[in-house]
Amino acid sequence: MTETLPIPALVPSLHVRVELAQPEDHGRTAVGHRRVVPIVGGSVGGDFTGTILPGGADWQVVRDDGTIEIDSRYSARSDDGALLYIRAIGLRTGPAEVLAALGRGEQVDPRSYYFRTTVWLESSARPELANRLFVAACARRRSEVVYTAYRVS
């Protein structure tokens, strides 16, 4: 094969701050320890600017080793009224003592644990966003998650 394929690059696209309510602990279900974390607000900046709307949630499964499977779905509204649907799917894992500190709401250096997601976007005002791939580096704070979503070129 002689063709040269393009090498993907990561381009910062969105800076997101998601405000969270207290987790709803559903206990151990058929798929594992289930938690639902309501999303109550936040902000988006970058290629789409606006406010995170209340009403979304992060549906989590906590594995026996403390790793959390992330499945978040929520909406944002831009300053001009356009809506953006956001779905983030990923993992948060790390050393047991770091995960325990996060669970207690302590400030933890985001480089000491792994928290990454793929981000899927939909918007009738920005249809091109649905035709791009995004990955994000995230941090968990006491009552919020912050992340930068990078467009894969």
Side-chain angles (χ1 to χ4, degrees):
M1 197 172 201
T2 59
E3 66 184 318
T4 302
L5 298 175
I7 299 172
L10 300 179
V11 180
S13 181
L14 299 174
H15 306 287
V16 181
R17 184 181 58 80
V18 179
E19 298 169 3
L20 307 170
Q22 290 297 311
E24 302 166 358
D25 192 334
H26 291 234
R28 186 161 290 285
T29 70
V31 299
H33 187 158
R34 172 69 67 186
R35 294 191 316 189
V36 177
V37 184
I39 293 171
V40 297
S43 61
V44 179
D47 292 345
F48 186 101
T49 60
T51 303
I52 301 292
L53 301 175
D58 180 10
W59 289 266
Q60 302 178 344
V61 173
V62 182
R63 297 179 186 168
D64 290 339
D65 68 355
T67 297
I68 298 175
E69 298 175 11
I70 305 293
D71 185 358
S72 298
R73 294 172 228 163
Y74 49 99
S75 296
R77 184 182 309 278
S78 70
D79 298 334
D80 65 1
L83 290 171
L84 177 68
Y85 170 73
I86 303 169
R87 183 164 187 204
I89 303 167
L91 294 172
R92 187 175 83 211
T93 192
E97 62 277 6
V98 172
L99 297 179
L102 286 169
R104 293 188 299 270
E106 296 175 15
Q107 189 75 9
V108 176
D109 182 346
R111 295 171 295 186
S112 67
Y113 58 100
Y114 184 86
F115 188 2
R116 305 290 187 272
T117 61
T118 58
V119 179
W120 299 91
L121 304 172
E122 294 177 31
S123 174
S124 61
R126 300 284 309 277
E128 73 278 6
L129 294 175
N131 294 327
R132 300 292 180 262
L133 297 176
F134 298 85
V135 295
C138 314
R140 179 67 157 96
R141 297 185 181 152
R142 178 180 300 274
S143 60
E144 65 183 11
V145 167
V146 296
Y147 64 86
T148 299
Y150 297 86
R151 180 176 42 81
V152 180
S153 69

